[in-house]
Amino acid sequence: MIASEALLRASCGLLGLFGLLRGAQWLADLPRWAAGGALGWDLQGLRRGIKGRSALLARTYAPTGLRILAILLMLDSALLLTLPLGAITLALLAAALVLILLLGQRSIPDGADKMATIVASGALLQALGVMAGNHTLVLAGGLWTGGQLTIAYFAAGASKLVLADWRSGVAPRGALSSYMWGSKLSAWGVSKSGAAFVLGWTVMLLETLFPLALLLPAPWLMVVLAGFFLFHAVIALVMGLNTYPWAFLAAYPATIWLGQALRAALALG
Amino acid sequence: MAELAARAILLLVCVLLGWGVVRQFMVVKAATMALDHLAIVPQWKFFAQQKIDGNPEAFDDFHLLVRTGRADAEPGEWHDLLYYGERRLRHALWNPRHGSRSLIMHHGALLTWTEPERAAQPSALSYLTVLRFCLDRTALEPGEVLQFAVAITCGRTARNPRLRFLSAWHCP
């Protein structure tokens, strides 16, 4: 059985990798979010609701505020990646949670932002539990992150299964032959007879059946997760969604922990 | 006391996860979208929103087109201002413009939506966002005005653009 501390350390390190990449990408793209531009907060702040009315957010989302947020996320992530577990981990995880949330809300948060938010909050609960010697909190944190990852894969598969266009292969062919979501290679691949159909069913079945993998012994669960990481890497290559592999990878240690806890609870060895 | 608080948190986690499972199969209303955006009860329907089923345009590529003109002359040719070209290998590791470009495209796509049951609706903000983008990227001479359009094309074979939204004429 892999110890909670080791898995928590891995979560922190992997979240750090995601944060470094996310922060660096924000810094590289800052000119597009400048005031006076299409995505400047002077215009985007006109949206309805709390976000648009908050004077604090207006300052935070001004170019200088955004730059500070991105730099802070990179610094925080570098420390999460390098420092051993300790009391400071709590502060670093709390800061990562706030920074990822704030930067995500500046735009429309994508799945990677949402998963990273979940990893940060779950790891925070687990770290609190480890520091305080409270197993219930460790359980809550592991269940939150591992549970959300399991729901994510299951829902991604099941919601495709109920759509006729996915079952027939029309949807994967459409997505992978577009410029927006595909590439030259994927368009060529799905143009072959039956390829989109087989690909679609492979993805749907693997995703829908993922919850069963939690019942596997840890080494086998790790093999399954390695396969899913490869899947994310291929998606990054084909669709350009390059932050997803790191955000989802950061949720794997908690998922391994959850699998172990589930097997122990069910007396599976 | 600490144990009681921990149990309350565990209970909350269980409730949110249970709610999360149910919510995957619901149509999310705009009013509760914050629960998704804040990752409290997120939806994980990657490329499987209900709207794609039976919709032949679900995965069509959006193009933001602009043309310029003068009051006393015929308008100029349309130019692709924002579109998705061939993906580069490096985008698998480094793709900083993905977020901002997708957001502009999202606003452009919103302008083409007319179904009232959608969670998001076309708004003046979307129009102004796209307009500002066009004005930023187009050098207008004195007296010139600009018009933008959102068009779609299908994959790599049906490249003839189909018009989905046409703006008014604007000057800076």
Side-chain angles (χ1 to χ4, degrees), chain B residues 85-150:
Chain B
E86 285 298 353
R87 184 124 18 244
R88 309 226 179 259
L89 273 179
R90 68 181 148 82
H91 289 158
L93 296 171
W94 182 248
N95 197 3
R97 290 193 169 175
H98 175 77
S100 55
R101 194 163 70 157
S102 296
L103 191 53
I104 301 276
M105 266 318 186
H106 171 76
H107 281 295
L110 266 178
L111 295 176
T112 70
W113 292 358
T114 50
E115 302 90 329
E117 68 270 19
R118 296 228 194 218
Q121 291 292 311
S123 68
L125 180 61
S126 290
Y127 191 95
L128 289 172
T129 300
V130 178
L131 175 62
R132 252 201 199 183
F133 183 79
C134 296
L135 289 170
D136 280 353
R137 300 299 164 99
T138 311
L140 291 178
E141 291 178 8
E144 266 193 324
V145 287
L146 166 152
Q147 186 179 38
F148 69 84
V150 180

Side-chain angles (χ1 to χ4, degrees), chain A residues 3-16:
Chain A
S4 306
E5 287 84 350
L7 290 171
L8 176 60
R9 181 71 203 87
S11 292
C12 293
L14 294 169
L15 184 66

Side-chain angles (χ1 to χ4, degrees), chain B residues 3-104:
Chain B
E3 183 56 29
L4 197 64
R7 280 173 187 270
I9 290 171
L10 180 60
L11 181 66
L12 178 66
V13 164
C14 292
V15 168
L16 290 178
L17 287 174
W19 187 9
V21 172
V22 175
R23 202 169 138 93
Q24 303 305 319
F25 303 98
M26 291 165 55
V27 176
V28 175
K29 298 217 163 39
T32 60
M33 198 64 99
L35 291 172
D36 178 61
H37 288 175
L38 294 170
I40 296 169
V41 195
Q43 266 206 330
W44 302 107
K45 290 183 181 182
F46 299 113
F47 298 96
Q49 286 80 4
Q50 202 67 41
K51 69 186 181 204
I52 73 165
D53 219 20
N55 176 5
E57 295 183 351
F59 292 108
D60 282 359
D61 291 306
F62 281 93
H63 297 251
L64 179 58
L65 309 166
V66 290
R67 65 177 176 177
T68 57
R70 289 177 179 280
D72 55 354
E74 284 288 303
E77 292 288 307
W78 286 108
H79 296 285
D80 248 325
L81 191 64
L82 186 64
Y83 63 100
Y84 287 84
E86 285 298 353
R87 184 124 18 244
R88 309 226 179 259
L89 273 179
R90 68 181 148 82
H91 289 158
L93 296 171
W94 182 248
N95 197 3
R97 290 193 169 175
H98 175 77
S100 55
R101 194 163 70 157
S102 296
L103 191 53
I104 301 276

Side-chain angles (χ1 to χ4, degrees), chain A residues 10-20 77 80 93 96 100 116 119-120 123 246 250:
Chain A
S11 292
C12 293
L14 294 169
L15 184 66
L17 276 181
F18 167 84
L20 276 176
S77 300
L80 271 176
L93 285 169
I100 292 167
V119 172
W246 310 111

Side-chain angles (χ1 to χ4, degrees), chain A residues 78-145:
Chain A
L79 293 174
L80 271 176
L81 192 60
T82 51
L83 290 183
L85 285 185
I88 189 139
T89 310
L90 292 175
L92 293 174
L93 285 169
L97 175 61
V98 172
L99 292 166
I100 292 167
L101 266 175
L102 278 173
L103 284 169
Q105 297 306 308
R106 177 64 171 86
S107 171
I108 298 171
D110 62 14
D113 289 327
K114 288 188 276 185
M115 188 51 79
T117 304
I118 284 161
V119 172
S121 50
L124 186 59
L125 285 176
Q126 283 191 300
L128 268 169
V130 167
M131 305 294 159
N134 186 318
H135 182 72
T136 310
L137 275 181
V138 177
L139 175 63
L143 185 62
W144 175 239
T145 309

Side-chain angles (χ1 to χ4, degrees), chain A residues 210-247:
Chain A
F210 177 78
L212 295 177
L214 290 181
L215 300 174
L216 295 172
W220 285 106
L221 176 56
M222 282 191 243
V223 170
V224 172
L225 288 171
F228 272 87
F229 178 72
L230 193 64
F231 172 61
H232 283 293
V234 171
I235 289 175
L237 202 64
V238 171
M239 299 184 162
L241 301 172
N242 70 322
T243 51
Y244 280 70
W246 310 111

